[in-house]
Amino acid sequence: MLKRHSTLDSVYTPGKYSFNSITNITFKELVNLNLKQITCWSNTLSDTENFFQKELSIQSSPNFNKGVIEKEFSLWRIEPLKWWLLEKNIALPENLGSSLDLSHSFTCIYISGEKTSVLLNRYLPIDLRENIFPQASSASSAIHHVSVKLLKYSSNNYYLFIPRGFALSIWEILLESSKQFGYEILER
């Protein structure tokens, strides 16, 4: 099996970079990402949702731009006929749709802390207030014309998915802006 290298290897330096001895934002790159994109045919939507409920033992398939967060995995409806499945593998029957492994396509950064929403709003035109963008919400957007996906796990806890080719420049932008809040980079 090929060893996966992070696009951030040369600049990923764990430690605290505080502002007045305060760290309000925490970053952690998720290595060995397991991300599957599952797409159904337009006439198999209901059957695909039933398949998810049975195969993943969930109450219901998530609505558009929402997710189902379980202890071992999460399922996110990224587009009307498209889901992202994190940290679990399932085989979608070919008569329902198709699956694609995106694990090597993205760099995923976990961002948390008191000022996380403030930082993200410097770059994302999304209303991240809790009553508008609650837990288990997702959005497609862009940072400096680079398409990104944002998944909200809980209050001020997000996963940001960046195409690998742009991860280094977005990482540098986020860290530069985080200096004013104080930040910490956790071990991977």
Side-chain angles (χ1 to χ4, degrees):
M1 183 173 190
L2 292 173
K3 182 177 190 263
R4 190 183 317 176
H5 292 278
S6 166
T7 56
L8 304 180
D9 277 344
S10 64
V11 296
Y12 196 89
T13 310
K16 288 188 177 188
Y17 304 86
S18 61
F19 176 75
N20 292 334
S21 301
I22 298 171
T23 55
N24 288 304
I25 299 174
T26 302
F27 296 96
K28 181 178 182 179
E29 181 188 13
L30 298 177
V31 294
N32 298 318
L33 183 63
N34 182 359
L35 173 61
K36 303 297 184 272
Q37 179 173 281
I38 300 169
T39 306
C40 74
W41 314 126
S42 59
N43 62 336
T44 64
L45 176 59
S46 179
D47 292 335
T48 302
E49 289 177 329
N50 290 335
F51 171 79
F52 287 140
Q53 290 174 24
K54 180 182 173 201
E55 195 71 20
L56 300 173
S57 300
I58 57 177
Q59 296 291 329
S60 63
S61 177
N63 292 325
F64 179 56
N65 278 342
K66 297 294 180 192
V68 172
I69 303 168
E70 298 290 331
K71 186 176 182 179
E72 301 294 322
F73 69 91
S74 61
L75 178 68
W76 300 85
R77 192 163 183 178
I78 299 297
E79 294 179 17
L81 301 176
K82 193 179 292 180
W83 295 262
W84 277 10
L85 180 62
L86 289 161
E87 305 308 325
K88 189 167 183 76
N89 296 316
I90 60 172
L92 183 72
E94 289 182 15
N95 64 317
L96 294 180
S98 65
S99 299
L100 179 62
D101 188 346
L102 296 179
S103 302
H104 295 273
S105 301
F106 289 91
T107 295
C108 179
I109 301 172
Y110 174 69
I111 309 172
S112 65
E114 184 181 328
K115 298 291 185 181
T116 301
S117 296
V118 175
L119 169 70
L120 291 172
N121 271 146
R122 304 273 162 107
Y123 300 101
L124 299 172
I126 302 169
D127 189 342
L128 296 176
R129 291 178 294 178
E130 190 65 35
N131 61 332
I132 305 295
F133 199 76
Q135 177 179 335
S137 293
S138 67
S140 297
S141 191
I143 297 176
H144 287 275
H145 304 288
V146 176
S147 178
V148 298
K149 302 278 192 224
L150 184 68
L151 311 180
K152 185 174 185 177
Y153 271 71
S154 61
S155 182
N156 289 319
N157 294 292
Y158 300 89
Y159 284 106
L160 181 65
F161 288 82
I162 308 164
R164 283 179 58 89
F166 296 96
L168 181 58
S169 60
I170 300 296
W171 175 254
E172 290 172 346
I173 289 167
L174 291 173
L175 293 187
E176 183 64 30
S177 294
S178 295
K179 287 179 181 177
Q180 62 190 302
F181 305 115
Y183 67 92
E184 181 177 6
I185 299 173
L186 301 176
E187 296 284 342
R188 297 186 230 175

